[in-house]
Amino acid sequence: MLETSVEDFVLRFGADAASGQLYPQPEGSPLMEFVSGGRTLYLFDRTGPYTAKPGDARVIVHGTFARFSLLGPRPSSDDARLTVVGISGVEGAGKITRLASRFTVVVEARLPLVLSSFTPLPALEVGDWLSFETQPPLHGFLVS
């Protein structure tokens, strides 16, 4: 199980939220338009309809792995990359900043991403670099 509740997820990963800009949500849309790290992301709004107000915001960006591979230690954060794939997915490379569980890591790839697997992850360490692609949709948990 990747989460027990929205509230628990926000408590566990609030410190890993990305800072950015929220744009107005179209009426009836479940997607938040969030700009962070120079990327525009469309996130499935997990904190409820109409709670995300336009403006500065901190949002936990959560994705599940479609694939990933260990790149090993890298010398510089200049190697971090993130590309939007489709409407609500990303691929990129970044440094692991936190091991949250056997299933979830936090990766810095232009912005912090909480990335999870439905199966246990291999032995990873903080500082390792991953190449990854997420399954759509990315989820967004509004922190502030």
Side-chain angles (χ1 to χ4, degrees), residues 65 67-71 81 91-94 129-133:
F65 288 115
R67 65 158 185 83
F68 73 91
S69 60
L70 182 62
L71 299 174
R81 61 180 175 78
E91 67 178 359
W129 279 70
L130 291 180
S131 171
F132 61 87
E133 183 175 348

Side-chain angles (χ1 to χ4, degrees), residues 15-98:
D16 304 302
S19 296
Q21 187 77 27
L22 275 175
Y23 287 87
Q25 241 174 311
E27 183 70 28
S29 174
L31 298 179
M32 294 188 289
E33 184 177 358
F34 180 61
V35 176
S36 181
R39 301 294 181 261
T40 301
L41 305 173
Y42 292 92
L43 309 173
F44 183 70
D45 185 354
R46 293 299 307 280
T47 48
Y50 313 113
T51 57
K53 304 294 183 215
D56 292 338
R58 292 183 58 245
V59 175
I60 302 163
V61 179
H62 181 235
T64 54
F65 288 115
R67 65 158 185 83
F68 73 91
S69 60
L70 182 62
L71 299 174
R74 301 280 275 241
S76 166
S77 62
D78 293 340
D79 293 331
R81 61 180 175 78
L82 190 67
T83 303
V84 175
V85 177
I87 292 175
S88 187
V90 291
E91 67 178 359
K95 182 172 73 170
I96 296 174
T97 59
R98 183 158 81 97

Side-chain angles (χ1 to χ4, degrees), residues 2 9-18 58-63 65 70 80 82 93-117 121 124-132 134:
L2 301 181
F9 198 84
V10 170
L11 281 173
R12 286 179 54 213
F13 295 103
D16 304 302
R58 292 183 58 245
V59 175
I60 302 163
V61 179
H62 181 235
F65 288 115
L70 182 62
L82 190 67
K95 182 172 73 170
I96 296 174
T97 59
R98 183 158 81 97
L99 304 171
S101 74
R102 291 181 37 214
F103 299 88
T104 303
V105 295
V106 178
V107 174
E108 182 65 37
R110 297 186 61 96
L111 63 127
L113 301 167
V114 177
L115 299 175
S116 297
S117 173
L121 294 166
L124 300 170
E125 296 183 20
V126 169
D128 284 345
W129 279 70
L130 291 180
S131 171
F132 61 87
T134 64

